[in-house]
Amino acid sequence: MINREQKRRETVQKFNDKRKKLLEIINDAGLTDEERFAARLQLQKLPRNASPVRLRNRCAITGRARGTFRKFGLGRTKIREIAMRGEIPGVVKASW
């Protein structure tokens, strides 16, 4: 899953400029309907994985998709394990 997600990220990066240009054409009300429709058809021909909506944040170690902290790029279980070993500076166990 980690490799699949990495491949998606590369695809999104590769087609980013082309998608932006096509979306600008599609959203430009000053152009004719035929030009906008042609841009929409070109956008549909791009690979599905070129859309940034299909990206998912995953744990860098386990590949777990849920419970991932953006700040660390790790899943909640791995953050807990690493924090308990004291390897993340500034993270301490809560106690009150």
Side-chain angles (χ1 to χ4, degrees):
M1 294 302 279
I2 295 172
N3 293 336
R4 184 184 304 170
E5 191 65 30
Q6 181 61 33
K7 189 186 288 186
R8 278 190 185 137
R9 290 189 187 282
E10 291 169 0
T11 306
V12 167
Q13 189 66 30
K14 179 180 176 183
F15 289 100
N16 188 26
D17 295 334
K18 190 170 186 177
R19 280 184 62 85
K20 269 188 185 173
K21 289 176 185 173
L22 290 173
L23 287 172
E24 286 176 4
I25 293 171
I26 292 168
N27 294 327
D28 187 3
L31 297 175
T32 64
D33 289 339
E34 291 81 20
E35 291 173 331
R36 294 169 67 191
F37 185 71
R40 186 172 295 279
L41 289 178
Q42 286 181 341
L43 183 67
Q44 289 176 353
K45 287 182 182 178
L46 293 179
R48 284 186 178 176
N49 287 336
S51 174
V53 174
R54 293 177 64 95
L55 294 178
R56 180 79 179 181
N57 290 335
R58 294 190 174 273
C59 175
I61 299 172
T62 62
R64 180 178 168 86
R66 295 179 178 219
T68 304
F69 287 72
R70 292 177 188 218
K71 183 175 182 177
F72 303 108
L74 299 173
R76 58 183 174 79
T77 54
K78 289 299 172 184
I79 286 179
R80 187 171 192 272
E81 290 174 10
I82 295 171
M84 289 299 163
R85 290 195 303 254
E87 296 177 6
I88 302 177
V91 177
V92 293
K93 185 176 180 192
S95 61
W96 60 91

Coordinates of all heavy atoms in Angstrom, one line a residue:
M1 N 0.8 -1.2 0.0 CA 0.0 0.0 0.0 C 0.9 1.3 0.0 O 0.5 2.3 -0.6 CB -0.9 0.0 1.2 CG -2.0 -1.1 1.2 SD -3.0 -1.0 -0.2 CE -4.1 0.2 0.2
I2 N 2.0 1.2 0.7 CA 2.9 2.3 0.8 C 3.4 2.7 -0.6 O 3.5 3.8 -1.1 CB 4.0 2.1 1.7 CG1 3.5 2.0 3.2 CG2 5.0 3.2 1.7 CD1 4.5 1.6 4.2
N3 N 3.8 1.6 -1.4 CA 4.3 1.8 -2.7 C 3.3 2.3 -3.7 O 3.5 3.2 -4.5 CB 4.9 0.5 -3.3 CG 6.1 0.1 -2.5 OD1 6.8 0.9 -1.9 ND2 6.4 -1.2 -2.5
R4 N 2.0 1.9 -3.5 CA 0.9 2.3 -4.4 C 0.7 3.8 -4.1 O 0.5 4.6 -5.0 CB -0.3 1.5 -4.1 CG -1.5 1.9 -5.0 CD -2.7 1.1 -4.6 NE -2.5 -0.3 -4.6 CZ -3.4 -1.2 -4.1 NH1 -4.6 -0.7 -3.6 NH2 -3.2 -2.5 -4.1
E5 N 0.7 4.2 -2.8 CA 0.5 5.6 -2.5 C 1.6 6.5 -3.0 O 1.4 7.6 -3.5 CB 0.4 5.7 -1.0 CG -0.1 7.1 -0.5 CD -1.6 7.3 -1.0 OE1 -2.3 6.4 -1.1 OE2 -1.9 8.5 -1.2
Q6 N 2.8 6.0 -3.0 CA 4.0 6.7 -3.5 C 3.8 6.9 -5.0 O 4.1 8.0 -5.5 CB 5.3 6.0 -3.2 CG 6.5 6.7 -3.7 CD 6.7 8.1 -3.0 OE1 6.3 8.3 -1.9 NE2 7.2 9.0 -3.8
K7 N 3.4 5.9 -5.7 CA 3.2 6.0 -7.1 C 2.1 7.0 -7.5 O 2.2 7.8 -8.4 CB 2.8 4.6 -7.7 CG 2.8 4.6 -9.2 CD 2.3 3.3 -9.8 CE 3.2 2.1 -9.5 NZ 2.8 0.9 -10.2
R8 N 1.0 7.0 -6.6 CA 0.0 8.0 -6.8 C 0.5 9.4 -6.6 O 0.2 10.4 -7.4 CB -1.2 7.8 -5.8 CG -2.1 6.8 -6.3 CD -3.3 6.8 -5.4 NE -4.2 5.7 -5.8 CZ -4.8 4.9 -4.9 NH1 -4.7 5.1 -3.6 NH2 -5.6 3.9 -5.3
R9 N 1.3 9.6 -5.6 CA 1.9 11.0 -5.4 C 2.8 11.4 -6.6 O 2.7 12.6 -7.0 CB 2.8 11.0 -4.1 CG 1.9 10.9 -2.9 CD 2.7 11.1 -1.6 NE 1.9 10.8 -0.4 CZ 1.0 11.6 0.1 NH1 0.8 12.8 -0.5 NH2 0.3 11.3 1.1
E10 N 3.5 10.5 -7.1 CA 4.4 10.8 -8.3 C 3.5 11.2 -9.5 O 3.8 12.1 -10.2 CB 5.3 9.7 -8.6 CG 6.4 9.4 -7.6 CD 7.1 8.1 -7.8 OE1 6.8 7.4 -8.8 OE2 8.0 7.8 -7.0
T11 N 2.4 10.5 -9.7 CA 1.5 10.7 -10.8 C 0.8 12.1 -10.6 O 0.7 12.9 -11.6 CB 0.4 9.6 -10.9 OG1 1.0 8.4 -11.0 CG2 -0.5 9.8 -12.1
V12 N 0.4 12.4 -9.4 CA -0.2 13.7 -9.1 C 0.8 14.8 -9.5 O 0.4 15.8 -10.1 CB -0.7 13.8 -7.7 CG1 -1.0 15.2 -7.3 CG2 -1.9 12.9 -7.5
Q13 N 2.0 14.7 -9.0 CA 3.0 15.7 -9.3 C 3.3 15.8 -10.8 O 3.5 16.9 -11.3 CB 4.3 15.3 -8.6 CG 5.4 16.3 -8.6 CD 5.0 17.6 -7.8 OE1 4.2 17.5 -6.8 NE2 5.5 18.7 -8.2
K14 N 3.3 14.7 -11.5 CA 3.6 14.7 -12.9 C 2.6 15.5 -13.7 O 2.9 16.3 -14.6 CB 3.7 13.3 -13.4 CG 4.0 13.2 -14.9 CD 4.0 11.7 -15.3 CE 4.2 11.5 -16.8 NZ 4.2 10.1 -17.2
F15 N 1.3 15.3 -13.4 CA 0.2 15.9 -14.2 C -0.3 17.2 -13.5 O -1.4 17.7 -14.0 CB -1.0 14.9 -14.3 CG -0.6 13.8 -15.3 CD1 -0.3 12.6 -14.8 CD2 -0.7 14.0 -16.6 CE1 0.0 11.5 -15.6 CE2 -0.4 13.0 -17.5 CZ 0.0 11.7 -17.0
N16 N 0.3 17.7 -12.5 CA -0.2 18.9 -11.7 C -0.4 20.1 -12.6 O -1.4 20.8 -12.6 CB 0.7 19.2 -10.6 CG 0.2 20.2 -9.7 OD1 -1.0 20.4 -9.6 ND2 1.0 20.9 -9.0
D17 N 0.7 20.5 -13.4 CA 0.6 21.7 -14.3 C -0.5 21.5 -15.3 O -1.2 22.5 -15.6 CB 2.0 21.9 -14.9 CG 3.0 22.3 -13.9 OD1 2.7 22.8 -12.8 OD2 4.2 22.0 -14.2
K18 N -0.6 20.4 -15.9 CA -1.6 20.2 -17.0 C -3.0 20.3 -16.4 O -3.9 20.9 -17.0 CB -1.3 18.8 -17.6 CG -2.2 18.6 -18.9 CD -1.7 17.3 -19.6 CE -2.5 17.2 -20.9 NZ -2.0 16.0 -21.7
R19 N -3.2 19.7 -15.2 CA -4.5 19.7 -14.6 C -4.9 21.2 -14.3 O -6.0 21.6 -14.5 CB -4.5 18.9 -13.3 CG -4.7 17.5 -13.5 CD -4.8 16.8 -12.2 NE -6.0 17.2 -11.4 CZ -7.2 16.7 -11.6 NH1 -7.4 15.8 -12.5 NH2 -8.2 17.2 -10.8
K20 N -3.9 22.0 -13.8 CA -4.2 23.4 -13.4 C -4.6 24.2 -14.7 O -5.6 24.9 -14.6 CB -3.0 24.0 -12.8 CG -2.9 23.9 -11.3 CD -1.8 24.7 -10.8 CE -1.7 24.5 -9.3 NZ -0.5 25.1 -8.7
K21 N -3.9 24.0 -15.8 CA -4.2 24.7 -17.0 C -5.6 24.3 -17.5 O -6.4 25.2 -17.9 CB -3.2 24.4 -18.1 CG -1.8 25.1 -17.8 CD -0.8 24.7 -18.8 CE 0.6 25.2 -18.4 NZ 1.6 24.8 -19.3
L22 N -5.9 23.1 -17.5 CA -7.2 22.6 -18.0 C -8.3 23.1 -17.1 O -9.4 23.6 -17.6 CB -7.3 21.1 -18.1 CG -6.4 20.5 -19.2 CD1 -6.4 19.0 -19.1 CD2 -6.9 20.9 -20.6
L23 N -8.1 23.1 -15.8 CA -9.1 23.6 -14.9 C -9.4 25.1 -15.0 O -10.5 25.6 -14.9 CB -8.8 23.3 -13.4 CG -8.9 21.8 -13.1 CD1 -8.4 21.5 -11.7 CD2 -10.4 21.4 -13.1
E24 N -8.3 25.9 -15.3 CA -8.4 27.3 -15.6 C -9.3 27.5 -16.8 O -10.1 28.4 -16.8 CB -7.1 28.0 -15.7 CG -6.3 28.1 -14.4 CD -4.9 28.7 -14.6 OE1 -4.6 29.0 -15.8 OE2 -4.2 28.8 -13.7
I25 N -9.1 26.7 -17.8 CA -9.9 26.9 -19.1 C -11.3 26.5 -18.8 O -12.2 27.2 -19.2 CB -9.3 26.0 -20.2 CG1 -7.9 26.5 -20.6 CG2 -10.2 25.9 -21.4 CD1 -7.2 25.5 -21.5
I26 N -11.5 25.4 -18.0 CA -12.9 25.0 -17.7 C -13.7 26.1 -16.9 O -14.9 26.3 -17.2 CB -12.9 23.7 -17.0 CG1 -12.4 22.6 -17.9 CG2 -14.3 23.3 -16.4 CD1 -12.1 21.2 -17.3
N27 N -13.0 26.7 -16.0 CA -13.7 27.7 -15.1 C -13.7 29.1 -15.7 O -14.3 30.0 -15.0 CB -13.0 27.7 -13.8 CG -13.1 26.4 -13.0 OD1 -14.2 25.7 -13.1 ND2 -12.1 26.0 -12.3
D28 N -13.1 29.3 -16.8 CA -13.1 30.6 -17.5 C -14.4 30.9 -18.2 O -14.6 30.3 -19.3 CB -11.9 30.8 -18.4 CG -11.7 32.2 -18.9 OD1 -12.5 33.1 -18.5 OD2 -10.8 32.4 -19.8
A29 N -15.3 31.7 -17.7 CA -16.6 31.9 -18.3 C -16.5 32.7 -19.6 O -17.4 32.8 -20.4 CB -17.5 32.6 -17.3
G30 N -15.4 33.4 -19.8 CA -15.2 34.2 -21.0 C -14.9 33.4 -22.3 O -15.1 33.9 -23.4
L31 N -14.6 32.1 -22.1 CA -14.3 31.3 -23.3 C -15.7 30.7 -23.8 O -16.7 30.7 -23.1 CB -13.4 30.2 -22.9 CG -12.0 30.6 -22.5 CD1 -11.2 29.4 -22.1 CD2 -11.3 31.3 -23.6
T32 N -15.6 30.2 -25.0 CA -16.8 29.6 -25.6 C -17.1 28.2 -25.0 O -16.2 27.6 -24.4 CB -16.6 29.4 -27.1 OG1 -15.6 28.4 -27.4 CG2 -16.3 30.7 -27.8
D33 N -18.3 27.8 -25.1 CA -18.7 26.5 -24.5 C -17.9 25.3 -25.2 O -17.6 24.3 -24.5 CB -20.2 26.3 -24.7 CG -21.0 27.2 -23.8 OD1 -20.4 27.6 -22.8 OD2 -22.2 27.4 -24.0
E34 N -17.6 25.5 -26.5 CA -16.9 24.4 -27.2 C -15.5 24.2 -26.6 O -15.0 23.1 -26.4 CB -16.8 24.7 -28.7 CG -18.2 24.5 -29.4 CD -19.0 25.8 -29.2 OE1 -18.5 26.8 -28.9 OE2 -20.3 25.7 -29.4
E35 N -14.8 25.4 -26.4 CA -13.4 25.3 -25.8 C -13.4 24.7 -24.4 O -12.6 23.9 -24.1 CB -12.8 26.8 -25.8 CG -12.6 27.3 -27.1 CD -12.2 28.8 -27.1 OE1 -12.6 29.5 -26.1 OE2 -11.4 29.2 -28.0
R36 N -14.4 25.1 -23.6 CA -14.5 24.6 -22.3 C -14.8 23.1 -22.3 O -14.2 22.3 -21.5 CB -15.5 25.4 -21.5 CG -15.1 26.8 -21.3 CD -16.2 27.7 -20.7 NE -16.5 27.3 -19.3 CZ -17.6 27.7 -18.7 NH1 -18.4 28.5 -19.2 NH2 -17.8 27.3 -17.5
F37 N -15.7 22.7 -23.2 CA -16.0 21.3 -23.3 C -14.8 20.4 -23.8 O -14.6 19.3 -23.3 CB -17.2 21.1 -24.3 CG -17.7 19.7 -24.4 CD1 -18.4 19.1 -23.3 CD2 -17.5 18.9 -25.5 CE1 -18.8 17.8 -23.4 CE2 -17.9 17.6 -25.6 CZ -18.6 17.1 -24.5
A38 N -14.0 21.0 -24.7 CA -12.8 20.3 -25.2 C -11.8 20.1 -24.0 O -11.2 19.1 -23.9 CB -12.2 21.1 -26.3
A39 N -11.7 21.2 -23.2 CA -10.8 21.1 -22.0 C -11.3 20.0 -21.1 O -10.5 19.3 -20.5 CB -10.7 22.4 -21.4
R40 N -12.6 19.9 -20.9 CA -13.2 18.9 -20.0 C -12.9 17.5 -20.5 O -12.6 16.6 -19.7 CB -14.7 19.2 -19.8 CG -15.3 18.3 -18.8 CD -16.7 18.6 -18.5 NE -16.9 19.9 -17.9 CZ -16.7 20.2 -16.6 NH1 -16.4 19.3 -15.8 NH2 -16.9 21.4 -16.2
L41 N -13.0 17.3 -21.8 CA -12.7 16.0 -22.4 C -11.2 15.7 -22.2 O -10.9 14.5 -21.9 CB -13.0 16.0 -23.8 CG -14.5 16.0 -24.2 CD1 -14.7 16.0 -25.7 CD2 -15.2 14.8 -23.6
Q42 N -10.3 16.6 -22.3 CA -8.9 16.4 -22.1 C -8.6 16.0 -20.6 O -7.8 15.2 -20.3 CB -8.1 17.6 -22.5 CG -8.0 17.8 -24.0 CD -7.1 19.0 -24.4 OE1 -6.9 19.8 -23.5 NE2 -6.6 19.0 -25.6
L43 N -9.3 16.7 -19.7 CA -9.2 16.4 -18.3 C -9.6 15.0 -18.0 O -9.0 14.3 -17.2 CB -10.0 17.5 -17.5 CG -9.8 17.4 -16.0 CD1 -8.4 17.7 -15.5 CD2 -10.8 18.3 -15.3
Q44 N -10.7 14.6 -18.6 CA -11.2 13.2 -18.4 C -10.3 12.2 -18.9 O -10.3 11.0 -18.4 CB -12.6 13.1 -19.0 CG -13.7 13.8 -18.3 CD -15.0 13.7 -19.0 OE1 -15.1 13.2 -20.1 NE2 -16.0 14.3 -18.4
K45 N -9.4 12.5 -19.9 CA -8.5 11.5 -20.5 C -7.3 11.3 -19.6 O -6.5 10.4 -19.8 CB -8.0 12.0 -21.9 CG -9.1 11.8 -22.9 CD -8.7 12.2 -24.3 CE -9.8 12.1 -25.3 NZ -9.4 12.5 -26.6
L46 N -7.0 12.2 -18.6 CA -5.9 12.1 -17.7 C -6.1 10.8 -16.8 O -7.3 10.4 -16.6 CB -5.7 13.3 -16.8 CG -5.3 14.6 -17.5 CD1 -5.2 15.7 -16.5 CD2 -4.0 14.4 -18.3
P47 N -5.1 10.2 -16.3 CA -5.2 9.1 -15.4 C -6.0 9.5 -14.1 O -5.9 10.6 -13.7 CB -3.8 8.7 -15.1 CG -2.9 9.4 -16.0 CD -3.7 10.5 -16.5
R48 N -6.7 8.5 -13.6 CA -7.5 8.8 -12.4 C -6.6 9.2 -11.2 O -6.9 10.0 -10.4 CB -8.3 7.5 -12.0 CG -9.5 7.3 -12.8 CD -10.3 6.1 -12.3 NE -11.5 5.9 -13.1 CZ -12.3 5.0 -12.9 NH1 -12.1 4.1 -11.9 NH2 -13.4 4.8 -13.6
N49 N -5.5 8.5 -11.2 CA -4.5 8.8 -10.1 C -3.8 10.1 -10.2 O -3.0 10.5 -9.3 CB -3.5 7.6 -9.9 CG -4.2 6.4 -9.4 OD1 -5.2 6.4 -8.7 ND2 -3.6 5.3 -9.7
A50 N -4.1 10.9 -11.2 CA -3.5 12.2 -11.4 C -4.3 13.2 -10.5 O -3.8 14.3 -10.4 CB -3.5 12.6 -12.8
S51 N -5.4 12.8 -10.0 CA -6.2 13.7 -9.2 C -5.7 13.7 -7.7 O -5.6 12.7 -7.1 CB -7.7 13.3 -9.2 OG -8.4 14.1 -8.3
P52 N -5.4 14.9 -7.1 CA -4.9 14.9 -5.7 C -6.0 14.5 -4.7 O -5.6 14.1 -3.6 CB -4.6 16.4 -5.5 CG -5.2 17.2 -6.6 CD -5.5 16.2 -7.7
V53 N -7.2 14.4 -5.1 CA -8.3 13.9 -4.2 C -8.0 12.4 -3.8 O -8.4 12.0 -2.8 CB -9.7 14.1 -4.8 CG1 -10.7 13.5 -4.0 CG2 -9.9 15.5 -5.1
R54 N -7.4 11.7 -4.7 CA -7.2 10.3 -4.5 C -6.0 9.9 -3.5 O -5.8 8.8 -3.2 CB -7.0 9.5 -5.8 CG -8.2 9.6 -6.7 CD -8.0 8.9 -8.0 NE -7.7 7.5 -8.0 CZ -8.6 6.5 -8.1 NH1 -9.8 6.8 -8.2 NH2 -8.2 5.3 -8.1
L55 N -5.3 11.0 -3.1 CA -4.2 10.8 -2.2 C -4.7 10.5 -0.8 O -5.7 11.0 -0.4 CB -3.3 12.0 -2.2 CG -2.5 12.3 -3.4 CD1 -1.7 13.5 -3.3 CD2 -1.6 11.1 -3.8
R56 N -4.0 9.7 0.0 CA -4.4 9.3 1.3 C -3.1 9.5 2.2 O -2.1 9.0 1.9 CB -4.9 7.9 1.3 CG -5.3 7.4 2.6 CD -6.7 7.9 3.0 NE -7.1 7.3 4.2 CZ -8.3 7.5 4.8 NH1 -9.1 8.3 4.2 NH2 -8.6 7.0 5.9
N57 N -3.3 10.1 3.4 CA -2.2 10.1 4.3 C -2.0 8.8 5.0 O -3.0 8.2 5.5 CB -2.4 11.2 5.4 CG -2.4 12.6 4.8 OD1 -1.7 12.8 3.8 ND2 -3.1 13.5 5.5
R58 N -0.8 8.2 4.9 CA -0.5 6.9 5.5 C 0.7 7.0 6.4 O 1.5 7.8 6.3 CB -0.3 5.9 4.4 CG -1.4 5.6 3.5 CD -1.2 4.5 2.6 NE -2.4 4.1 1.9 CZ -3.4 3.3 2.4 NH1 -3.2 2.7 3.5 NH2 -4.4 3.1 1.7
C59 N 0.7 6.0 7.4 CA 1.8 5.9 8.3 C 3.0 5.5 7.4 O 3.0 4.6 6.6 CB 1.5 4.9 9.3 SG 2.9 4.5 10.4
A60 N 4.2 6.2 7.7 CA 5.4 6.0 6.9 C 6.0 4.6 7.2 O 6.7 4.0 6.4 CB 6.4 7.0 7.2
I61 N 5.7 4.0 8.4 CA 6.2 2.8 8.8 C 5.3 1.6 8.5 O 5.8 0.6 7.8 CB 6.5 2.8 10.3 CG1 7.5 3.9 10.7 CG2 7.0 1.4 10.8 CD1 7.8 4.1 12.1
T62 N 4.1 1.7 8.9 CA 3.2 0.6 8.7 C 2.3 0.7 7.5 O 1.7 -0.3 7.0 CB 2.3 0.4 9.9 OG1 1.5 1.6 10.1 CG2 3.1 0.2 11.2
G63 N 2.0 1.9 7.0 CA 1.1 2.0 5.9 C -0.3 2.2 6.3 O -1.2 2.2 5.4
R64 N -0.6 2.3 7.6 CA -2.0 2.4 8.1 C -2.5 3.7 7.6 O -1.9 4.8 7.7 CB -2.0 2.3 9.6 CG -3.3 2.4 10.2 CD -3.2 2.3 11.7 NE -4.5 2.7 12.4 CZ -5.5 1.9 12.6 NH1 -5.4 0.7 12.2 NH2 -6.6 2.4 13.2
A65 N -3.8 3.7 7.1 CA -4.4 4.9 6.5 C -5.2 5.7 7.6 O -5.3 6.9 7.5 CB -5.4 4.5 5.4
R66 N -5.7 5.1 8.6 CA -6.5 5.8 9.6 C -5.6 6.1 10.9 O -4.7 5.3 11.2 CB -7.7 5.0 10.0 CG -8.6 4.8 8.8 CD -9.8 4.0 9.2 NE -10.7 3.9 8.1 CZ -12.0 4.0 8.2 NH1 -12.6 4.1 9.3 NH2 -12.7 3.9 7.1
G67 N -6.0 7.2 11.5 CA -5.2 7.5 12.7 C -3.8 8.0 12.5 O -2.9 7.8 13.3
T68 N -3.6 8.7 11.4 CA -2.3 9.2 11.0 C -2.2 10.7 11.4 O -3.1 11.5 11.0 CB -2.1 9.0 9.5 OG1 -2.3 7.7 9.1 CG2 -0.7 9.4 9.1
F69 N -1.1 11.0 12.1 CA -0.9 12.4 12.5 C 0.0 13.0 11.4 O 1.1 12.6 11.1 CB -0.1 12.4 13.8 CG -1.0 12.1 15.0 CD1 -1.4 10.8 15.2 CD2 -1.4 13.1 15.9 CE1 -2.2 10.5 16.3 CE2 -2.2 12.8 16.9 CZ -2.6 11.5 17.1
R70 N -0.5 14.1 10.8 CA 0.2 14.8 9.8 C 1.6 15.4 10.2 O 2.5 15.4 9.5 CB -0.6 16.0 9.2 CG -1.8 15.6 8.5 CD -2.6 16.8 8.1 NE -3.9 16.4 7.6 CZ -4.5 17.0 6.6 NH1 -3.9 18.0 6.0 NH2 -5.7 16.5 6.1
K71 N 1.6 15.8 11.5 CA 2.8 16.4 12.0 C 4.0 15.5 12.0 O 5.2 15.8 11.7 CB 2.6 16.9 13.4 CG 3.8 17.7 14.0 CD 3.4 18.2 15.4 CE 4.6 19.0 16.0 NZ 4.2 19.6 17.2
F72 N 3.7 14.2 12.2 CA 4.8 13.2 12.3 C 4.8 12.3 11.1 O 5.8 11.6 10.8 CB 4.6 12.3 13.6 CG 4.6 13.1 14.8 CD1 3.5 13.3 15.6 CD2 5.8 13.7 15.3 CE1 3.4 14.0 16.7 CE2 5.8 14.5 16.5 CZ 4.6 14.6 17.2
G73 N 3.7 12.2 10.4 CA 3.6 11.2 9.3 C 3.5 9.8 9.7 O 3.9 8.9 9.0
L74 N 3.1 9.6 11.0 CA 3.0 8.2 11.5 C 1.6 7.9 12.1 O 0.9 8.9 12.4 CB 4.0 8.1 12.7 CG 5.5 8.3 12.4 CD1 6.3 8.3 13.6 CD2 6.0 7.2 11.4
G75 N 1.3 6.7 12.2 CA 0.1 6.2 12.7 C 0.1 6.4 14.3 O 1.2 6.5 14.9
R76 N -1.1 6.4 14.9 CA -1.2 6.6 16.3 C -0.4 5.6 17.1 O 0.2 5.9 18.2 CB -2.6 6.7 16.7 CG -3.4 5.5 16.4 CD -4.9 5.6 16.7 NE -5.7 4.5 16.3 CZ -5.7 3.3 16.9 NH1 -5.0 3.1 18.0 NH2 -6.4 2.3 16.4
T77 N -0.5 4.3 16.7 CA 0.2 3.3 17.5 C 1.7 3.4 17.4 O 2.4 3.3 18.4 CB -0.2 1.9 16.9 OG1 0.1 1.8 15.5 CG2 -1.6 1.6 17.2
K78 N 2.3 3.8 16.3 CA 3.7 4.0 16.1 C 4.2 5.2 16.9 O 5.3 5.2 17.4 CB 4.1 4.0 14.7 CG 4.0 2.7 14.0 CD 4.9 1.7 14.6 CE 4.7 0.3 14.1 NZ 5.6 -0.7 14.8
I79 N 3.4 6.3 16.9 CA 3.7 7.5 17.6 C 3.8 7.1 19.1 O 4.7 7.5 19.8 CB 2.7 8.6 17.4 CG1 2.9 9.2 16.0 CG2 2.8 9.7 18.5 CD1 1.9 10.3 15.7
R80 N 2.9 6.3 19.6 CA 2.9 6.0 21.0 C 4.1 5.1 21.3 O 4.8 5.4 22.3 CB 1.6 5.2 21.3 CG 1.4 4.9 22.8 CD 0.0 4.3 23.0 NE -0.3 4.2 24.4 CZ 0.1 3.3 25.3 NH1 0.7 2.2 24.8 NH2 -0.2 3.3 26.5
E81 N 4.4 4.2 20.5 CA 5.6 3.3 20.8 C 6.9 4.2 20.8 O 7.7 4.0 21.7 CB 5.7 2.3 19.7 CG 4.7 1.2 19.7 CD 4.8 0.2 18.6 OE1 5.8 0.3 17.8 OE2 3.9 -0.6 18.4
I82 N 7.0 5.0 19.8 CA 8.3 5.8 19.7 C 8.3 6.9 20.8 O 9.4 7.1 21.4 CB 8.3 6.5 18.3 CG1 8.5 5.4 17.2 CG2 9.5 7.5 18.2 CD1 8.4 5.9 15.8
A83 N 7.2 7.5 21.2 CA 7.1 8.5 22.2 C 7.5 7.8 23.6 O 8.1 8.4 24.4 CB 5.8 9.1 22.3
M84 N 7.0 6.6 23.8 CA 7.3 5.9 25.1 C 8.8 5.6 25.2 O 9.3 5.5 26.3 CB 6.5 4.6 25.2 CG 5.0 4.8 25.4 SD 4.7 5.7 26.9 CE 3.1 6.3 26.7
R85 N 9.4 5.4 24.1 CA 10.9 5.2 24.1 C 11.7 6.5 24.3 O 12.9 6.5 24.4 CB 11.4 4.5 22.9 CG 10.9 3.0 22.8 CD 11.6 2.3 21.7 NE 11.5 2.9 20.4 CZ 10.8 2.4 19.4 NH1 10.1 1.3 19.6 NH2 10.7 3.0 18.2
G86 N 10.9 7.6 24.2 CA 11.6 8.9 24.3 C 12.3 9.4 23.1 O 13.2 10.3 23.2
E87 N 11.9 8.9 21.9 CA 12.6 9.3 20.7 C 12.0 10.5 20.0 O 12.6 11.0 19.0 CB 12.6 8.1 19.7 CG 13.4 6.9 20.3 CD 13.4 5.7 19.4 OE1 12.9 5.8 18.3 OE2 13.9 4.6 19.8
I88 N 10.9 11.0 20.4 CA 10.3 12.2 19.8 C 10.5 13.3 20.9 O 9.9 13.3 21.9 CB 8.8 12.0 19.5 CG1 8.6 10.8 18.6 CG2 8.2 13.3 18.9 CD1 7.1 10.5 18.3
P89 N 11.3 14.3 20.5 CA 11.6 15.4 21.5 C 10.3 16.2 21.8 O 9.6 16.5 20.9 CB 12.6 16.2 20.8 CG 12.9 15.7 19.5 CD 12.1 14.5 19.3
G90 N 10.1 16.5 23.0 CA 9.0 17.3 23.4 C 7.7 16.6 23.6 O 6.7 17.2 24.1
V91 N 7.6 15.3 23.3 CA 6.4 14.6 23.5 C 6.5 13.8 24.8 O 7.4 13.0 25.0 CB 6.1 13.6 22.3 CG1 4.9 12.8 22.6 CG2 6.0 14.4 21.0
V92 N 5.6 14.1 25.7 CA 5.5 13.3 27.0 C 4.2 12.8 27.2 O 3.2 13.2 26.7 CB 5.9 14.3 28.2 CG1 7.4 14.7 28.1 CG2 5.0 15.5 28.2
K93 N 4.1 11.8 28.0 CA 2.8 11.1 28.4 C 2.0 12.1 29.2 O 2.5 12.7 30.2 CB 3.0 9.8 29.0 CG 1.8 9.0 29.3 CD 2.0 7.7 29.9 CE 0.7 7.0 30.1 NZ 0.9 5.8 31.0
A94 N 0.7 12.2 28.9 CA -0.1 13.1 29.7 C -0.4 12.5 31.1 O -0.6 11.3 31.2 CB -1.4 13.3 29.0
S95 N -0.4 13.3 32.1 CA -0.8 12.8 33.5 C -1.4 14.0 34.2 O -0.9 15.1 34.1 CB 0.4 12.3 34.2 OG 1.4 13.3 34.4
W96 N -2.5 13.8 34.9 CA -3.2 14.8 35.6 C -3.9 14.3 36.8 O -4.0 13.1 37.1 CB -4.1 15.6 34.8 CG -5.2 14.9 34.1 CD1 -6.5 14.6 34.6 CD2 -5.2 14.2 32.9 NE1 -7.2 13.9 33.8 CE2 -6.4 13.6 32.7 CE3 -4.2 14.0 31.9 CZ2 -6.8 12.8 31.6 CZ3 -4.6 13.3 30.8 CH2 -5.8 12.7 30.6

